[in-house]
Amino acid sequence: MVSSIFDTLGVATLEHHWTTLLSSAFVCGIIVQLSQVLCPILFPATYPKLQGSKKLNWDVHVVSTVHAIVIVTLAAPLLWNENLTQNKIFGYEYYAGQVYAVCCGYFLWDTIHSIRHVKDFGIGFVLHGICSFSVFIFSFRPFLQYFGGSCLMFELSTPFLNIHWFMDKTGLTGSIYQKVNGIILLTVFFCARIVFGFYTSYLALISVLPVIDLVPMHLRIIYASANIALNSLNVFWFYKMVASLGRRFTGPPKSVASKRDAAKAKRDQ
């Protein structure tokens, strides 16, 4: 019965991985609970003072960091998988399915969480979760499993992004540690998500075109839309990070600094 359901949905190989997917989503919820127990002990001067969505946002960053480290570690071997290399469009590998089930579980949890708290986190995170889940869930057709490992390398930048966020909350804003992390963050984000991301999209496109007639229309629409949305979000987020770090570390505008100096001089008179 389970097999027939997945066949009907067009994700036949998910029959072998759906328990891993649900387990992954469940573990994300467990990590939130662990964060609520451990973070007051590890960060007694910060975490207990957080209220409402701010505390929830902290827990989400913990889950995101754990997932990024785990999924990059698991996905790295897929970059050199011989079975997938021989059939880049319709190839299937059990290990790849397990890796994508783990990330689908996370994106399922992330999408549900983002929808529940859309007023706090914005529609962009909902869109990111839906697009990411859609891309990886249809890899169980199987479809484009070869490129899945490359796409998961985008998560290389996530730990540095989260570290930057945690530093803001723990009183290290503007410190040398945050500056160094900021430089690493921009470098990794640009290389992994912009350069490697667009290159992966190009390789996937030229690989699919010769067999495009074998790809159902709904998959063409889903993958084209998700690809455009995710690449656009990455460019937008990179622009926002550059602008934010630029304002933070280059100091106030000259006019503002002059006003402060004038005010200080007046007080000293």
Side-chain angles (χ1 to χ4, degrees):
M1 180 177 177
V2 172
S3 176
S4 62
I5 292 175
F6 292 137
D7 284 339
T8 302
L9 294 175
V11 286
T13 62
L14 188 56
E15 174 190 0
H16 310 297
H17 308 285
W18 65 273
T19 54
T20 301
L21 190 157
L22 294 181
S23 298
S24 175
F26 179 76
V27 168
C28 287
I30 294 297
I31 294 174
V32 170
Q33 300 301 315
L34 290 175
S35 174
Q36 294 172 353
V37 172
L38 296 177
C39 287
I41 300 173
L42 298 175
F43 305 95
T46 303
Y47 188 84
K49 297 179 181 178
L50 300 175
Q51 299 296 326
S53 62
K54 293 182 179 179
K55 181 171 291 187
L56 183 60
N57 201 10
W58 177 291
D59 298 331
V60 169
H61 278 78
V62 172
V63 178
S64 172
T65 302
V66 173
H67 168 261
I69 294 173
V70 170
I71 207 64
V72 167
T73 302
L74 292 176
L78 296 178
L79 300 177
W80 301 278
N81 186 280
E82 293 184 3
N83 291 336
L84 297 180
T85 301
Q86 294 173 3
N87 189 348
K88 297 181 179 180
I89 309 304
F90 304 112
Y92 168 74
E93 172 74 33
Y94 179 81
Y95 177 75
Q98 288 293 84
V99 174
Y100 301 148
V102 171
C103 78
C104 278
Y106 167 75
F107 287 127
L108 176 62
W109 173 86
D110 183 56
T111 300
I112 294 172
H113 175 273
S114 297
I115 292 173
R116 289 179 58 194
H117 303 281
V118 65
K119 291 183 178 180
D120 297 313
F121 301 111
I123 193 65
F125 287 95
V126 176
L127 180 61
H128 179 269
I130 293 174
C131 289
S132 299
F133 180 79
S134 299
V135 166
F136 284 101
I137 198 65
F138 283 107
S139 70
F140 294 102
R141 182 178 177 85
F143 182 60
L144 295 181
Q145 286 204 358
Y146 171 80
F147 295 97
S150 297
C151 292
L152 288 176
M153 291 301 105
F154 291 2
E155 295 297 329
L156 281 167
S157 64
T158 300
F160 301 104
L161 179 62
N162 291 344
I163 288 171
H164 184 89
W165 188 89
F166 284 124
M167 285 183 176
D168 275 344
K169 301 300 178 288
T170 53
L172 293 174
T173 300
S175 66
I176 184 62
Y177 304 107
Q178 194 178 53
K179 290 180 180 179
V180 171
N181 181 75
I183 293 172
I184 297 174
L185 166 60
L186 289 180
T187 302
V188 175
F189 193 100
F190 180 75
C191 293
R193 295 197 178 220
I194 305 301
V195 177
F196 191 57
F198 277 87
Y199 180 64
T200 298
S201 296
Y202 168 74
L203 290 181
L205 177 62
I206 62 174
S207 298
V208 168
L209 285 178
V211 294
I212 193 66
D213 292 338
L214 301 177
V215 180
M217 182 57 67
H218 71 278
L219 288 187
R220 302 184 203 180
I221 295 174
I222 289 173
Y223 276 81
S225 301
N227 185 62
I228 294 172
L230 292 174
N231 281 327
S232 297
L233 281 172
N234 284 335
V235 171
F236 174 72
W237 285 333
F238 182 71
Y239 165 77
K240 296 288 286 186
M241 284 191 297
V242 171
S244 176
L245 290 171
R247 288 193 301 269
R248 178 167 299 180
F249 295 126
T250 58
K254 185 176 181 180
S255 59
V256 175
S258 298
K259 290 179 180 178
R260 289 179 180 175
D261 291 342
K264 183 177 183 300
K266 186 175 182 179
R267 289 196 303 269
D268 293 339
Q269 290 179 351

PDB file of all heavy atoms in Angstrom, residues 5-37:
ATOM      1  N   ILE A   5       1.151   4.266  -2.945  1.00  0.00           N
ATOM      2  CA  ILE A   5       0.949   5.693  -2.654  1.00  0.00           C
ATOM      3  C   ILE A   5       2.092   6.514  -3.223  1.00  0.00           C
ATOM      4  O   ILE A   5       1.879   7.536  -3.883  1.00  0.00           O
ATOM      5  CB  ILE A   5       0.828   5.919  -1.142  1.00  0.00           C
ATOM      6  CG1 ILE A   5      -0.463   5.313  -0.616  1.00  0.00           C
ATOM      7  CG2 ILE A   5       0.865   7.415  -0.817  1.00  0.00           C
ATOM      8  CD1 ILE A   5      -0.606   5.379   0.895  1.00  0.00           C
ATOM      9  N   PHE A   6       3.309   6.065  -2.988  1.00  0.00           N
ATOM     10  CA  PHE A   6       4.466   6.807  -3.471  1.00  0.00           C
ATOM     11  C   PHE A   6       4.560   6.761  -4.997  1.00  0.00           C
ATOM     12  O   PHE A   6       4.987   7.731  -5.624  1.00  0.00           O
ATOM     13  CB  PHE A   6       5.748   6.276  -2.838  1.00  0.00           C
ATOM     14  CG  PHE A   6       5.845   6.556  -1.356  1.00  0.00           C
ATOM     15  CD1 PHE A   6       6.296   5.587  -0.470  1.00  0.00           C
ATOM     16  CD2 PHE A   6       5.468   7.785  -0.848  1.00  0.00           C
ATOM     17  CE1 PHE A   6       6.381   5.846   0.888  1.00  0.00           C
ATOM     18  CE2 PHE A   6       5.546   8.062   0.511  1.00  0.00           C
ATOM     19  CZ  PHE A   6       6.001   7.082   1.379  1.00  0.00           C
ATOM     20  N   ASP A   7       4.167   5.635  -5.591  1.00  0.00           N
ATOM     21  CA  ASP A   7       4.134   5.545  -7.053  1.00  0.00           C
ATOM     22  C   ASP A   7       3.149   6.562  -7.628  1.00  0.00           C
ATOM     23  O   ASP A   7       3.432   7.229  -8.623  1.00  0.00           O
ATOM     24  CB  ASP A   7       3.729   4.133  -7.492  1.00  0.00           C
ATOM     25  CG  ASP A   7       4.863   3.128  -7.329  1.00  0.00           C
ATOM     26  OD1 ASP A   7       6.025   3.573  -7.277  1.00  0.00           O
ATOM     27  OD2 ASP A   7       4.580   1.922  -7.241  1.00  0.00           O
ATOM     28  N   THR A   8       1.997   6.669  -6.998  1.00  0.00           N
ATOM     29  CA  THR A   8       0.970   7.609  -7.452  1.00  0.00           C
ATOM     30  C   THR A   8       1.457   9.045  -7.347  1.00  0.00           C
ATOM     31  O   THR A   8       1.176   9.880  -8.226  1.00  0.00           O
ATOM     32  CB  THR A   8      -0.322   7.445  -6.626  1.00  0.00           C
ATOM     33  OG1 THR A   8      -0.784   6.099  -6.754  1.00  0.00           O
ATOM     34  CG2 THR A   8      -1.401   8.400  -7.111  1.00  0.00           C
ATOM     35  N   LEU A   9       2.194   9.334  -6.287  1.00  0.00           N
ATOM     36  CA  LEU A   9       2.711  10.694  -6.081  1.00  0.00           C
ATOM     37  C   LEU A   9       3.924  10.996  -6.951  1.00  0.00           C
ATOM     38  O   LEU A   9       4.382  12.142  -6.996  1.00  0.00           O
ATOM     39  CB  LEU A   9       3.075  10.885  -4.603  1.00  0.00           C
ATOM     40  CG  LEU A   9       1.910  10.845  -3.613  1.00  0.00           C
ATOM     41  CD1 LEU A   9       2.439  10.914  -2.175  1.00  0.00           C
ATOM     42  CD2 LEU A   9       0.947  11.988  -3.883  1.00  0.00           C
ATOM     43  N   GLY A  10       4.449   9.999  -7.632  1.00  0.00           N
ATOM     44  CA  GLY A  10       5.598  10.209  -8.508  1.00  0.00           C
ATOM     45  C   GLY A  10       6.923  10.263  -7.785  1.00  0.00           C
ATOM     46  O   GLY A  10       7.888  10.844  -8.282  1.00  0.00           O
ATOM     47  N   VAL A  11       6.984   9.655  -6.583  1.00  0.00           N
ATOM     48  CA  VAL A  11       8.234   9.615  -5.825  1.00  0.00           C
ATOM     49  C   VAL A  11       8.461   8.161  -5.360  1.00  0.00           C
ATOM     50  O   VAL A  11       8.544   7.882  -4.160  1.00  0.00           O
ATOM     51  CB  VAL A  11       8.195  10.587  -4.624  1.00  0.00           C
ATOM     52  CG1 VAL A  11       8.319  12.029  -5.099  1.00  0.00           C
ATOM     53  CG2 VAL A  11       6.895  10.407  -3.817  1.00  0.00           C
ATOM     54  N   ALA A  12       8.593   7.282  -6.324  1.00  0.00           N
ATOM     55  CA  ALA A  12       8.588   5.841  -6.061  1.00  0.00           C
ATOM     56  C   ALA A  12       9.633   5.396  -5.046  1.00  0.00           C
ATOM     57  O   ALA A  12       9.347   4.572  -4.169  1.00  0.00           O
ATOM     58  CB  ALA A  12       8.791   5.085  -7.380  1.00  0.00           C
ATOM     59  N   THR A  13      10.853   5.913  -5.140  1.00  0.00           N
ATOM     60  CA  THR A  13      11.917   5.426  -4.253  1.00  0.00           C
ATOM     61  C   THR A  13      11.784   5.940  -2.824  1.00  0.00           C
ATOM     62  O   THR A  13      12.521   5.492  -1.938  1.00  0.00           O
ATOM     63  CB  THR A  13      13.308   5.809  -4.800  1.00  0.00           C
ATOM     64  OG1 THR A  13      13.426   7.235  -4.850  1.00  0.00           O
ATOM     65  CG2 THR A  13      13.528   5.232  -6.182  1.00  0.00           C
ATOM     66  N   LEU A  14      10.847   6.855  -2.580  1.00  0.00           N
ATOM     67  CA  LEU A  14      10.623   7.332  -1.213  1.00  0.00           C
ATOM     68  C   LEU A  14      10.132   6.201  -0.326  1.00  0.00           C
ATOM     69  O   LEU A  14      10.195   6.280   0.902  1.00  0.00           O
ATOM     70  CB  LEU A  14       9.612   8.486  -1.209  1.00  0.00           C
ATOM     71  CG  LEU A  14       9.401   9.224   0.123  1.00  0.00           C
ATOM     72  CD1 LEU A  14      10.712   9.756   0.674  1.00  0.00           C
ATOM     73  CD2 LEU A  14       8.379  10.345  -0.044  1.00  0.00           C
ATOM     74  N   GLU A  15       9.654   5.123  -0.942  1.00  0.00           N
ATOM     75  CA  GLU A  15       9.230   3.934  -0.198  1.00  0.00           C
ATOM     76  C   GLU A  15      10.332   3.448   0.742  1.00  0.00           C
ATOM     77  O   GLU A  15      10.054   2.924   1.834  1.00  0.00           O
ATOM     78  CB  GLU A  15       8.857   2.825  -1.181  1.00  0.00           C
ATOM     79  CG  GLU A  15       8.546   1.497  -0.528  1.00  0.00           C
ATOM     80  CD  GLU A  15       8.408   0.362  -1.527  1.00  0.00           C
ATOM     81  OE1 GLU A  15       8.557   0.616  -2.753  1.00  0.00           O
ATOM     82  OE2 GLU A  15       8.164  -0.783  -1.093  1.00  0.00           O
ATOM     83  N   HIS A  16      11.584   3.625   0.330  1.00  0.00           N
ATOM     84  CA  HIS A  16      12.724   3.132   1.095  1.00  0.00           C
ATOM     85  C   HIS A  16      13.256   4.162   2.097  1.00  0.00           C
ATOM     86  O   HIS A  16      14.166   3.834   2.864  1.00  0.00           O
ATOM     87  CB  HIS A  16      13.856   2.732   0.152  1.00  0.00           C
ATOM     88  CG  HIS A  16      13.431   1.825  -0.965  1.00  0.00           C
ATOM     89  ND1 HIS A  16      12.931   0.552  -0.746  1.00  0.00           N
ATOM     90  CD2 HIS A  16      13.407   2.019  -2.317  1.00  0.00           C
ATOM     91  CE1 HIS A  16      12.631  -0.007  -1.911  1.00  0.00           C
ATOM     92  NE2 HIS A  16      12.897   0.860  -2.870  1.00  0.00           N
ATOM     93  N   HIS A  17      12.700   5.383   2.076  1.00  0.00           N
ATOM     94  CA  HIS A  17      13.318   6.462   2.854  1.00  0.00           C
ATOM     95  C   HIS A  17      12.341   7.294   3.684  1.00  0.00           C
ATOM     96  O   HIS A  17      12.779   8.189   4.400  1.00  0.00           O
ATOM     97  CB  HIS A  17      14.075   7.402   1.906  1.00  0.00           C
ATOM     98  CG  HIS A  17      15.025   6.726   0.987  1.00  0.00           C
ATOM     99  ND1 HIS A  17      16.247   6.227   1.385  1.00  0.00           N
ATOM    100  CD2 HIS A  17      14.929   6.435  -0.352  1.00  0.00           C
ATOM    101  CE1 HIS A  17      16.869   5.675   0.354  1.00  0.00           C
ATOM    102  NE2 HIS A  17      16.089   5.774  -0.711  1.00  0.00           N
ATOM    103  N   TRP A  18      11.032   7.020   3.607  1.00  0.00           N
ATOM    104  CA  TRP A  18      10.072   7.902   4.266  1.00  0.00           C
ATOM    105  C   TRP A  18      10.209   7.892   5.786  1.00  0.00           C
ATOM    106  O   TRP A  18       9.964   8.910   6.447  1.00  0.00           O
ATOM    107  CB  TRP A  18       8.635   7.538   3.859  1.00  0.00           C
ATOM    108  CG  TRP A  18       8.157   6.187   4.304  1.00  0.00           C
ATOM    109  CD1 TRP A  18       8.323   5.000   3.660  1.00  0.00           C
ATOM    110  CD2 TRP A  18       7.424   5.906   5.508  1.00  0.00           C
ATOM    111  NE1 TRP A  18       7.745   3.984   4.369  1.00  0.00           N
ATOM    112  CE2 TRP A  18       7.178   4.498   5.511  1.00  0.00           C
ATOM    113  CE3 TRP A  18       6.950   6.667   6.561  1.00  0.00           C
ATOM    114  CZ2 TRP A  18       6.500   3.875   6.540  1.00  0.00           C
ATOM    115  CZ3 TRP A  18       6.266   6.039   7.596  1.00  0.00           C
ATOM    116  CH2 TRP A  18       6.044   4.667   7.566  1.00  0.00           C
ATOM    117  N   THR A  19      10.641   6.773   6.342  1.00  0.00           N
ATOM    118  CA  THR A  19      10.826   6.742   7.799  1.00  0.00           C
ATOM    119  C   THR A  19      11.997   7.637   8.211  1.00  0.00           C
ATOM    120  O   THR A  19      11.949   8.279   9.270  1.00  0.00           O
ATOM    121  CB  THR A  19      11.075   5.308   8.282  1.00  0.00           C
ATOM    122  OG1 THR A  19      12.183   4.731   7.559  1.00  0.00           O
ATOM    123  CG2 THR A  19       9.836   4.442   8.073  1.00  0.00           C
ATOM    124  N   THR A  20      13.034   7.680   7.380  1.00  0.00           N
ATOM    125  CA  THR A  20      14.167   8.568   7.651  1.00  0.00           C
ATOM    126  C   THR A  20      13.720  10.029   7.578  1.00  0.00           C
ATOM    127  O   THR A  20      14.127  10.864   8.394  1.00  0.00           O
ATOM    128  CB  THR A  20      15.302   8.327   6.637  1.00  0.00           C
ATOM    129  OG1 THR A  20      15.734   6.972   6.723  1.00  0.00           O
ATOM    130  CG2 THR A  20      16.485   9.250   6.908  1.00  0.00           C
ATOM    131  N   LEU A  21      12.872  10.349   6.589  1.00  0.00           N
ATOM    132  CA  LEU A  21      12.366  11.710   6.437  1.00  0.00           C
ATOM    133  C   LEU A  21      11.591  12.153   7.676  1.00  0.00           C
ATOM    134  O   LEU A  21      11.845  13.234   8.235  1.00  0.00           O
ATOM    135  CB  LEU A  21      11.480  11.793   5.193  1.00  0.00           C
ATOM    136  CG  LEU A  21      11.025  13.175   4.721  1.00  0.00           C
ATOM    137  CD1 LEU A  21      10.661  13.133   3.231  1.00  0.00           C
ATOM    138  CD2 LEU A  21       9.827  13.700   5.509  1.00  0.00           C
ATOM    139  N   LEU A  22      10.658  11.317   8.122  1.00  0.00           N
ATOM    140  CA  LEU A  22       9.855  11.682   9.291  1.00  0.00           C
ATOM    141  C   LEU A  22      10.714  11.723  10.557  1.00  0.00           C
ATOM    142  O   LEU A  22      10.505  12.583  11.421  1.00  0.00           O
ATOM    143  CB  LEU A  22       8.712  10.680   9.470  1.00  0.00           C
ATOM    144  CG  LEU A  22       7.646  10.676   8.374  1.00  0.00           C
ATOM    145  CD1 LEU A  22       6.545   9.653   8.695  1.00  0.00           C
ATOM    146  CD2 LEU A  22       7.029  12.065   8.203  1.00  0.00           C
ATOM    147  N   SER A  23      11.688  10.827  10.645  1.00  0.00           N
ATOM    148  CA  SER A  23      12.589  10.826  11.802  1.00  0.00           C
ATOM    149  C   SER A  23      13.408  12.106  11.852  1.00  0.00           C
ATOM    150  O   SER A  23      13.631  12.673  12.933  1.00  0.00           O
ATOM    151  CB  SER A  23      13.520   9.614  11.757  1.00  0.00           C
ATOM    152  OG  SER A  23      12.794   8.404  11.826  1.00  0.00           O
ATOM    153  N   SER A  24      13.834  12.569  10.687  1.00  0.00           N
ATOM    154  CA  SER A  24      14.605  13.801  10.610  1.00  0.00           C
ATOM    155  C   SER A  24      13.785  14.994  11.100  1.00  0.00           C
ATOM    156  O   SER A  24      14.281  15.829  11.867  1.00  0.00           O
ATOM    157  CB  SER A  24      15.069  14.041   9.167  1.00  0.00           C
ATOM    158  OG  SER A  24      15.729  15.290   9.041  1.00  0.00           O
ATOM    159  N   ALA A  25      12.535  15.070  10.644  1.00  0.00           N
ATOM    160  CA  ALA A  25      11.653  16.165  11.085  1.00  0.00           C
ATOM    161  C   ALA A  25      11.433  16.087  12.597  1.00  0.00           C
ATOM    162  O   ALA A  25      11.424  17.112  13.294  1.00  0.00           O
ATOM    163  CB  ALA A  25      10.323  16.102  10.345  1.00  0.00           C
ATOM    164  N   PHE A  26      11.261  14.875  13.109  1.00  0.00           N
ATOM    165  CA  PHE A  26      11.054  14.674  14.540  1.00  0.00           C
ATOM    166  C   PHE A  26      12.282  15.104  15.334  1.00  0.00           C
ATOM    167  O   PHE A  26      12.173  15.756  16.386  1.00  0.00           O
ATOM    168  CB  PHE A  26      10.729  13.205  14.809  1.00  0.00           C
ATOM    169  CG  PHE A  26      10.529  12.881  16.260  1.00  0.00           C
ATOM    170  CD1 PHE A  26       9.364  13.231  16.910  1.00  0.00           C
ATOM    171  CD2 PHE A  26      11.516  12.208  16.965  1.00  0.00           C
ATOM    172  CE1 PHE A  26       9.177  12.936  18.257  1.00  0.00           C
ATOM    173  CE2 PHE A  26      11.344  11.901  18.310  1.00  0.00           C
ATOM    174  CZ  PHE A  26      10.170  12.271  18.963  1.00  0.00           C
ATOM    175  N   VAL A  27      13.467  14.766  14.837  1.00  0.00           N
ATOM    176  CA  VAL A  27      14.712  15.121  15.519  1.00  0.00           C
ATOM    177  C   VAL A  27      14.867  16.642  15.582  1.00  0.00           C
ATOM    178  O   VAL A  27      15.370  17.187  16.578  1.00  0.00           O
ATOM    179  CB  VAL A  27      15.919  14.475  14.821  1.00  0.00           C
ATOM    180  CG1 VAL A  27      17.233  15.071  15.331  1.00  0.00           C
ATOM    181  CG2 VAL A  27      15.914  12.968  15.039  1.00  0.00           C
ATOM    182  N   CYS A  28      14.432  17.342  14.534  1.00  0.00           N
ATOM    183  CA  CYS A  28      14.504  18.813  14.545  1.00  0.00           C
ATOM    184  C   CYS A  28      13.703  19.362  15.723  1.00  0.00           C
ATOM    185  O   CYS A  28      14.138  20.300  16.403  1.00  0.00           O
ATOM    186  CB  CYS A  28      13.964  19.380  13.238  1.00  0.00           C
ATOM    187  SG  CYS A  28      15.052  19.134  11.814  1.00  0.00           S
ATOM    188  N   GLY A  29      12.531  18.778  15.956  1.00  0.00           N
ATOM    189  CA  GLY A  29      11.727  19.193  17.101  1.00  0.00           C
ATOM    190  C   GLY A  29      12.404  18.875  18.419  1.00  0.00           C
ATOM    191  O   GLY A  29      12.331  19.661  19.377  1.00  0.00           O
ATOM    192  N   ILE A  30      13.090  17.736  18.472  1.00  0.00           N
ATOM    193  CA  ILE A  30      13.820  17.350  19.685  1.00  0.00           C
ATOM    194  C   ILE A  30      14.957  18.334  19.959  1.00  0.00           C
ATOM    195  O   ILE A  30      15.215  18.704  21.108  1.00  0.00           O
ATOM    196  CB  ILE A  30      14.384  15.924  19.547  1.00  0.00           C
ATOM    197  CG1 ILE A  30      13.241  14.897  19.483  1.00  0.00           C
ATOM    198  CG2 ILE A  30      15.325  15.602  20.710  1.00  0.00           C
ATOM    199  CD1 ILE A  30      12.393  14.847  20.723  1.00  0.00           C
ATOM    200  N   ILE A  31      15.641  18.765  18.908  1.00  0.00           N
ATOM    201  CA  ILE A  31      16.750  19.711  19.077  1.00  0.00           C
ATOM    202  C   ILE A  31      16.248  21.024  19.657  1.00  0.00           C
ATOM    203  O   ILE A  31      16.928  21.667  20.472  1.00  0.00           O
ATOM    204  CB  ILE A  31      17.466  19.938  17.731  1.00  0.00           C
ATOM    205  CG1 ILE A  31      18.153  18.651  17.266  1.00  0.00           C
ATOM    206  CG2 ILE A  31      18.513  21.056  17.853  1.00  0.00           C
ATOM    207  CD1 ILE A  31      18.759  18.734  15.881  1.00  0.00           C
ATOM    208  N   VAL A  32      15.052  21.451  19.246  1.00  0.00           N
ATOM    209  CA  VAL A  32      14.456  22.655  19.823  1.00  0.00           C
ATOM    210  C   VAL A  32      14.288  22.480  21.330  1.00  0.00           C
ATOM    211  O   VAL A  32      14.619  23.373  22.124  1.00  0.00           O
ATOM    212  CB  VAL A  32      13.097  22.972  19.168  1.00  0.00           C
ATOM    213  CG1 VAL A  32      12.379  24.073  19.939  1.00  0.00           C
ATOM    214  CG2 VAL A  32      13.286  23.391  17.728  1.00  0.00           C
ATOM    215  N   GLN A  33      13.781  21.307  21.746  1.00  0.00           N
ATOM    216  CA  GLN A  33      13.587  21.037  23.163  1.00  0.00           C
ATOM    217  C   GLN A  33      14.926  21.016  23.910  1.00  0.00           C
ATOM    218  O   GLN A  33      15.040  21.553  25.026  1.00  0.00           O
ATOM    219  CB  GLN A  33      12.870  19.699  23.346  1.00  0.00           C
ATOM    220  CG  GLN A  33      11.497  19.623  22.688  1.00  0.00           C
ATOM    221  CD  GLN A  33      10.544  20.671  23.199  1.00  0.00           C
ATOM    222  OE1 GLN A  33      10.455  20.903  24.414  1.00  0.00           O
ATOM    223  NE2 GLN A  33       9.822  21.320  22.297  1.00  0.00           N
ATOM    224  N   LEU A  34      15.933  20.407  23.303  1.00  0.00           N
ATOM    225  CA  LEU A  34      17.264  20.370  23.918  1.00  0.00           C
ATOM    226  C   LEU A  34      17.853  21.766  24.041  1.00  0.00           C
ATOM    227  O   LEU A  34      18.508  22.097  25.042  1.00  0.00           O
ATOM    228  CB  LEU A  34      18.197  19.480  23.101  1.00  0.00           C
ATOM    229  CG  LEU A  34      17.919  17.972  23.138  1.00  0.00           C
ATOM    230  CD1 LEU A  34      18.846  17.233  22.180  1.00  0.00           C
ATOM    231  CD2 LEU A  34      18.076  17.439  24.555  1.00  0.00           C
ATOM    232  N   SER A  35      17.622  22.599  23.020  1.00  0.00           N
ATOM    233  CA  SER A  35      18.101  23.976  23.060  1.00  0.00           C
ATOM    234  C   SER A  35      17.490  24.720  24.243  1.00  0.00           C
ATOM    235  O   SER A  35      18.184  25.475  24.947  1.00  0.00           O
ATOM    236  CB  SER A  35      17.757  24.697  21.750  1.00  0.00           C
ATOM    237  OG  SER A  35      18.087  26.074  21.816  1.00  0.00           O
ATOM    238  N   GLN A  36      16.216  24.492  24.485  1.00  0.00           N
ATOM    239  CA  GLN A  36      15.521  25.165  25.578  1.00  0.00           C
ATOM    240  C   GLN A  36      16.022  24.709  26.945  1.00  0.00           C
ATOM    241  O   GLN A  36      15.913  25.442  27.926  1.00  0.00           O
ATOM    242  CB  GLN A  36      14.013  24.932  25.453  1.00  0.00           C
ATOM    243  CG  GLN A  36      13.406  25.587  24.224  1.00  0.00           C
ATOM    244  CD  GLN A  36      11.955  25.209  24.000  1.00  0.00           C
ATOM    245  OE1 GLN A  36      11.413  24.339  24.690  1.00  0.00           O
ATOM    246  NE2 GLN A  36      11.313  25.858  23.036  1.00  0.00           N
ATOM    247  N   VAL A  37      16.587  23.497  27.001  1.00  0.00           N
ATOM    248  CA  VAL A  37      17.109  22.968  28.257  1.00  0.00           C
ATOM    249  C   VAL A  37      18.572  23.366  28.460  1.00  0.00           C
ATOM    250  O   VAL A  37      18.974  23.782  29.568  1.00  0.00           O
ATOM    251  CB  VAL A  37      16.977  21.430  28.297  1.00  0.00           C
ATOM    252  CG1 VAL A  37      17.704  20.858  29.519  1.00  0.00           C
ATOM    253  CG2 VAL A  37      15.522  21.018  28.308  1.00  0.00           C
TER     254      VAL A  37
END
